[in-house]
Amino acid sequence: MSLHRKGRAALVLALVAVVAMAFRVSWNALRDIAGAVGADATAATLYPFVVDGLMALALVATLVLADDARRFALRVLGAYTIASLILNYVHGLVPELHGRTVDWSRLAEWDPANWALVLLATSLPVGSIYFGSDLVAKVLHHRPTPARELVDGQRADTSAPLPHTPLPDAVHEVPTASKPPVSALVNGRADAVQTPDPHTPHPVRTPDAESTDDALRQAQFEEAELERMRQDARRAYAESAQAGRPLSARALGEAFGMSESWGRKQILAVRDEEEQLRPRLRAVDTAAV
């Protein structure tokens, strides 16, 4: 195991230890609060898992989800964090809650504040059922995006230009619909260039050269897959437009696991192609006729 992986593993273990200790501290306060609002011994023991457990679930969901679903998970995490903080604060203000020496329905002397605190404490379990089920459903239906990411975090529609020898000019003159896959062109060109000469010794391929060739083939394969995805998305939008129900940019992007901006680019490409194919009228000079 490398030093970098050891550092990451140590960081994760330290985080788990801190979270476990923080949960133990919060568990004491939430258990007393649950007992003060009428929960029995078993329910009061399980109550902290309902509140802080959903916080842990929402935290995991934020690491898996993206876009709107991730923002929803962050809102759930923030709301339950604030609720747990309020209940822990009330427990600190009323230390008699630990000994169960106060009236079970009195968390504050002012009636409106007491009603609000009781409503908060009793509504958190119901909210955990609703929000927890929604988060699990979003995680189970989440599909990771297959597109590669640029350094600045934006999704790449096209790959970076390849180093070394470019493709011949004749390839660029072939229409897109009849153009063969880029990987086949590169492999065919590589076979033509690397045809061995019977009068020359075979070159010795080093591991670095083989890894470079593998990376080149992988890049060409990914580019071909992205191009195929773009063509499929444009075809899907054109068919929906012909049916009278054109897809929106957001719906088109989500259907292919991409962003809304990516879907908007494909829609604009379809419209540009339709504009080029549309016949143009020319003015006729009647005087010359």
Side-chain angles (χ1 to χ4, degrees):
M1 182 180 294
S2 63
L3 182 60
H4 179 66
R5 291 184 178 179
K6 290 182 179 179
R8 293 176 60 182
L11 181 62
V12 172
L13 291 177
L15 176 62
V16 172
V18 171
V19 171
M21 291 184 290
F23 174 78
R24 177 60 184 87
V25 175
S26 178
W27 179 82
N28 185 57
L30 295 179
R31 182 197 58 184
D32 294 341
I33 291 289
V37 295
D40 57 17
T42 303
T45 303
L46 296 177
Y47 185 82
F49 294 95
V50 174
V51 180
D52 293 345
L54 183 66
M55 292 168 54
L57 177 63
L59 178 60
V60 174
T62 57
L63 302 177
V64 177
L65 301 175
D67 300 332
D68 293 338
R70 183 174 183 271
R71 286 189 287 271
F72 172 77
L74 286 174
R75 286 194 290 267
V76 173
L77 176 60
Y80 267 72
T81 300
I82 294 174
S84 179
L85 175 62
I86 292 175
L87 296 182
N88 277 269
Y89 177 69
V90 172
H91 184 267
L93 290 179
V94 189
E96 294 84 1
L97 290 173
H98 184 67
R100 307 286 180 88
T101 59
V102 297
D103 185 10
W104 70 270
S105 62
R106 299 303 302 180
L107 296 179
E109 296 182 357
W110 187 40
D111 286 341
N114 179 70
W115 297 336
L117 291 173
V118 172
L119 176 62
L120 175 64
T122 55
S123 62
L124 289 179
V126 180
S128 295
I129 297 174
Y130 174 77
F131 293 118
S133 302
D134 196 5
L135 287 174
V136 171
K138 290 180 183 298
V139 171
L140 293 180
H141 290 85
H142 174 68
R143 293 188 307 170
T145 56
R148 294 177 299 166
E149 301 292 333
L150 291 178
V151 177
D152 58 356
Q154 299 295 328
R155 191 172 282 109
D157 287 342
T158 57
S159 62
L162 298 175
H164 309 302
T165 57
L167 297 178
D169 296 338
V171 175
H172 301 286
E173 298 176 359
V174 180
T176 305
S178 61
K179 184 182 297 184
V182 180
S183 60
L185 294 174
V186 174
N187 292 336
R189 179 176 176 81
D191 293 338
V193 173
Q194 297 177 1
T195 301
D197 188 350
H199 301 287
T200 58
H202 296 284
V204 178
R205 296 180 60 83
T206 62
D208 294 338
E210 293 179 356
S211 62
T212 303
D213 292 343
D214 292 340
L216 179 62
R217 293 192 186 94
Q218 180 65 22
Q220 295 300 331
F221 173 76
E222 293 179 358
E223 171 59 21
E225 287 297 315
L226 289 175
E227 179 61 26
R228 180 186 61 79
M229 185 184 299
R230 287 192 288 267
Q231 295 298 331
D232 291 343
R234 295 171 187 176
R235 188 180 305 108
Y237 174 77
E239 292 175 355
S240 66
Q242 292 177 359
R245 297 187 299 271
L247 295 171
S248 64
R250 181 176 181 179
L252 185 62
E254 291 180 352
F256 288 85
M258 305 295 283
S259 64
E260 181 178 354
S261 61
W262 184 88
R264 187 178 298 108
K265 290 180 181 179
Q266 310 316 313
I267 294 175
L268 293 177
V270 173
R271 293 176 179 174
D272 291 342
E273 292 177 359
E274 293 177 351
E275 183 67 22
Q276 293 176 1
L277 296 176
R278 187 176 303 168
R280 300 179 182 275
L281 299 178
R282 295 182 178 180
V284 179
D285 190 355
T286 57
V289 175

